[in-house]
Amino acid sequence: MLVSYKWLNEYLPVTEDPIKLADQISRTGIETEEVFLREQGMKKVVVGHVLKSEPHPNSDHLHICQVDVGESEPYQIVCGAPNVAAGQYVIVALPNSWIADHTKIKKSKMRGEVSMGMICALQEIGFPEAVVPKAYANGIYVFNEPHTPGESVFPLLGMDDPILNLDITPNRADTLGMHGAAWEIGAMLNEKPQFTKPTVTETGAPIDDLLTAKVADDASLSYHLRIVQNVHIHESPLWLQVRLWNAGVRPINNIVDITNYVMLEYGQPLHAFDYDKLKNKEILVRHAQPGETLTTLDGNDHELVAQDIVITDGQDPIALAGVMGGLSTEVTEETKTVVFEAAVFPPTPIRKTAQRYNLRSQASTRFEKGINKADVLTALDHAAQLAEQLAEANTAKGVLSPANMDVLPVVVDISIDRINHVLGTTLSTDTVRDIFGRLGFGVEEADGLFTVSIPPRRWDISIEADLIEEVARLYGYDNLPSTLPEATTTVARFTPIQKLIRYSKRSLLAAGLNEAISYALVNEDEASEFMQEKSVPTHLDWPMTKDHAVLRQSLLPGLIDDLAYNIAHSVKDVALFEQGRVFLKDHEKTVRPREVEYLAGLISGQWQGRAWETTEQPADFYLVKGIVENYLAPLHLADPIRYTATDQYSEMHPGRTANIYLGDQLLGFIGEVHPARTAAINAADTFVFQLNLDIILAAKKVALMAQDAPKYPSVTRDIALLLPEEVTNAQVLATIRAHGGEFLQNVQLFDVYKGEKLPAGTQSLAYTLTFLNPADTLKETQVNADFSRISEQLEKQLHAQIR
């Protein structure tokens, strides 16, 4: 909310320095982001009167202008604006002046002609494009009334008015109007704002003879209309334009500007319809019928749904209630009769309609957060009064009110003891009564019990806690005593899952991966990718975007998106991991999904080891498998880890993916992402893994026992096997360990060979077997017996040939 310091002074005397005032406002609970002056950093920018404008002899678009700037002789200024003409009062930057963006204007020559300064557009002196009237968007700004040549433009254009940019929280929407801001600042300064009640001179025809109105389906809680006749549409006076653009609103014409001005003043959105464009001279407020269409003022067509509230001419929609008007009843230069609308619409449908059609507006923002229901008719009357003054209009007799509501103050009882107990203060009843009075609340007190009457303009206050907050704000948070909380201290300990998560992050960071944090909300397609458990997706009822509409069921889509982001920024070698929750549902009817802790990693491109002398190598399956094994080994899980080839994941490379089992439970999977997926984002070969941490947490752990160092030497034997290609390393290891005897301590694969020198469909695997007797020296006969038994079982069970 942009608050004009000068406008504020019309309601209450504010003598504080704007910077100091902003600090005071922030300390009472409404943050002031900045205070700015548009004239700051500029000088020597004045009013000029164009006496003559002629085409430049050496240009097809420049003009040579003779401009009165209050000096003894006119200044010759070369101007390229298409709308410059003799007789205009314009903005002139004199020689050696400074304009926006710290730009200095000097005397110069343009195509051989001297130019003593520059005739300026509003944008060139610091106004944002969004507030510049469309008539001057591509040219210089022209004053719509005479001014003294040489006079500074800063006061005329409101550029000397300090603007306070208030960051309004949703609960304080009462300050989204100048009246509400005046009440807030007045309470802070112990000043009561004074407002002039609008007066309407009803000289037109009776409104009942001109229009009928009805509200159906409780579409509006309060709905009121006034009609002004014989209006003259033209540009608003400069003071009104200044008020609008200092509040961030673009001036349009006097009638539309009146509706925006009243909205800024009261916080009450208004809308204006061209009466002559209403086919049936009827207003009907209702819910839209599915399939109805409406072209809004921005020129876009919308197909409506039943949840939308629309204003109709009795038959067809002419506006989206509380959001935006329709093009068919737009107020234009030909408009002669105007219908002003002031209403209270339910906030939820307005918010959803604005989101559905991406039509966020200042009006919809106010309806969403709430408006002062007591000021609806007052704002409507002020609009009619301004139309009489600025558009020479005649106001029709009466107000059409097809829907009305009783607006009563809220009464809350609270005791002084309760206030002091919560705040830790010793405030007196007089101090608290004074605070309530400064806020404009009605208050009665007896024996320390306050009965507080809260006016409708503060709809955010309804319970004791709200009143206590108001007392704290105005008494001053910095004046509240500092006390230490009284509580029993306990020794903090990590839960088992917290310990596992912290270990997981330390382990993968030490392995050389970087942690990523991705959105838990994904799009419809990503929600079902890389799923290692059967689940149905959980959809949001009202997603903000289509890309964040479903809860994730895997961490890998997020890591793939992170990879794509890095590649788009020329980073092709990526090593990431993420720990987070996925959301799984067994049935569509399940209300709340299970939240499961997962761990996932991704490596793409070249892998750089952590030691400085290590050379780069392309990422591969075994690199990622090694990282997973190094992660799992210190956990000392009782059940064995085994890897089984799988093709159940369509997003993974067929033949290069394996499920990871902990005993008989599917712990996760590991493998290469499908080439089609990586090619779509221009990524190199990419390898990933994903683990279910909840399974690891629930798994049995091996109890570690300290053991003496062996006193006796170990014996090693190597064995090379020619095996069918479909036999896995896990099968070989299982067979060796099952028949290795009590002295077999370790089995290590050290060589894998597949090639032309072997028969087709075979492979060669070589292992080192380590035997150790901790109580005695092993004898050759014992080792030979165990080794022979192993060889025999390998030949029998796996059809191995000992090489």
Side-chain angles (χ1 to χ4, degrees), residues 10 33 92 170 244 276 333 376 417 422 432 548 579 603 637 663 682 701 725 770 794:
E10 293 185 5
E33 292 187 348
V92 175
L244 293 180
D276 295 320
E333 293 180 357
V376 179
D417 292 339
V422 173
V432 174
H548 302 91
Q579 190 286 313
I603 299 178
L637 302 174
N682 297 318
K701 310 297 190 296
E725 200 168 30
T770 302
L794 288 171

Side-chain angles (χ1 to χ4, degrees), residues 10 33 61 196 254 260 276 332 435 498 532 605 699 709 727 796:
E10 293 185 5
E33 292 187 348
H61 69 281
T196 302
N254 53 349
N260 287 328
D276 295 320
T332 65
I435 289 174
Q498 288 174 327
Q532 64 191 58
V727 175
K796 181 179 179 180

Side-chain angles (χ1 to χ4, degrees), residues 423-721:
L423 299 181
T425 54
T426 56
L427 301 177
S428 67
T429 54
D430 289 340
T431 300
V432 174
R433 184 190 296 109
D434 176 66
I435 289 174
F436 289 147
R438 286 159 58 186
L439 288 163
F441 298 171
V443 59
E444 295 179 2
E445 183 267 330
D447 298 327
L449 180 64
F450 293 96
T451 299
V452 185
S453 178
I454 297 102
R457 60 180 172 79
R458 287 302 304 274
W459 60 89
D460 60 307
I461 299 176
S462 59
I463 59 175
E464 272 190 357
D466 298 330
L467 288 178
I468 294 172
E469 181 184 8
E470 294 301 297
V471 172
R473 288 194 317 109
L474 291 186
Y475 179 67
Y477 291 122
D478 48 350
N479 293 325
L480 297 178
S482 300
T483 58
L484 292 174
E486 296 181 4
T488 303
T489 58
T490 58
V491 178
R493 293 185 177 89
F494 290 130
T495 63
I497 188 63
Q498 288 174 327
K499 291 179 181 178
L500 179 59
I501 289 172
R502 281 163 173 74
Y503 162 74
S504 301
K505 292 182 178 182
R506 289 196 306 269
S507 175
L508 295 182
L509 286 170
L513 281 70
N514 296 306
E515 184 176 8
I517 300 175
S518 305
Y519 287 113
L521 294 171
V522 295
N523 62 44
E524 186 78 36
D525 295 333
E526 290 178 335
S528 300
E529 292 181 333
F530 300 101
M531 289 173 53
Q532 64 191 58
E533 300 181 49
K534 289 185 178 180
S535 173
V536 294
T538 303
H539 294 82
L540 269 65
D541 287 339
W542 193 257
M544 295 182 66
T545 68
K546 292 182 179 179
D547 288 335
H548 302 91
V550 187
L551 287 170
R552 67 186 177 189
Q553 300 178 97
S554 168
L555 298 181
L556 290 175
L559 290 178
I560 297 291
D561 289 342
D562 295 338
L563 173 61
Y565 178 87
N566 278 274
I567 290 173
H569 290 76
S570 302
V571 179
K572 296 186 177 181
D573 301 329
V574 177
L576 299 174
F577 78 91
E578 179 171 8
Q579 190 286 313
R581 292 180 181 178
V582 299
F583 305 86
L584 308 175
K585 288 202 307 184
D586 298 326
H587 305 285
E588 192 68 48
K589 295 181 180 180
T590 303
V591 177
R592 183 175 178 176
R594 291 183 290 117
E595 299 183 26
V596 184
E597 298 286 355
Y598 269 27
L599 178 69
L602 174 149
I603 299 178
S604 181
Q606 296 293 315
W607 170 256
Q608 174 66 57
R610 298 193 63 82
W612 65 269
E613 70 275 9
T614 305
T615 58
E616 289 185 347
Q617 65 181 60
D620 60 22
F621 179 92
Y622 296 103
L623 170 66
V624 180
K625 182 172 179 285
I627 291 173
V628 172
E629 289 183 334
N630 287 337
Y631 164 76
L632 293 172
L635 296 174
H636 302 290
L637 302 174
D639 293 322
I641 297 291
R642 57 188 177 89
Y643 300 83
T644 303
T646 181
D647 58 0
Q648 73 180 71
Y649 309 100
S650 61
E651 304 83 14
M652 301 295 290
H653 195 304
R656 298 187 183 180
T657 304
N659 278 330
I660 307 172
Y661 288 92
L662 175 60
D664 294 328
Q665 291 189 86
L666 177 61
L667 178 61
F669 65 92
I670 183 173
E672 182 179 349
V673 178
H674 198 289
R677 185 69 186 272
T678 53
I681 57 174
N682 297 318
D685 292 346
T686 300
F687 299 84
V688 297
F689 69 87
Q690 183 167 264
L691 303 174
N692 184 328
L693 295 186
D694 284 0
I695 292 178
I696 293 177
L697 186 66
K700 293 180 180 180
K701 310 297 190 296
V702 175
L704 298 181
M705 300 291 290
Q707 295 179 348
D708 293 336
K711 297 179 181 179
Y712 303 97
S714 61
V715 176
T716 61
R717 294 288 176 86
D718 292 344
I719 184 170
L721 308 173

Side-chain angles (χ1 to χ4, degrees), residues 722-723 725 754-763 801 803:
L722 184 66
L723 293 158
E725 200 168 30
K754 297 179 182 179
E756 297 177 355
K757 297 181 179 180
L758 296 179
T762 63
Q763 61 181 330
Q801 297 180 30
R803 302 182 68 194

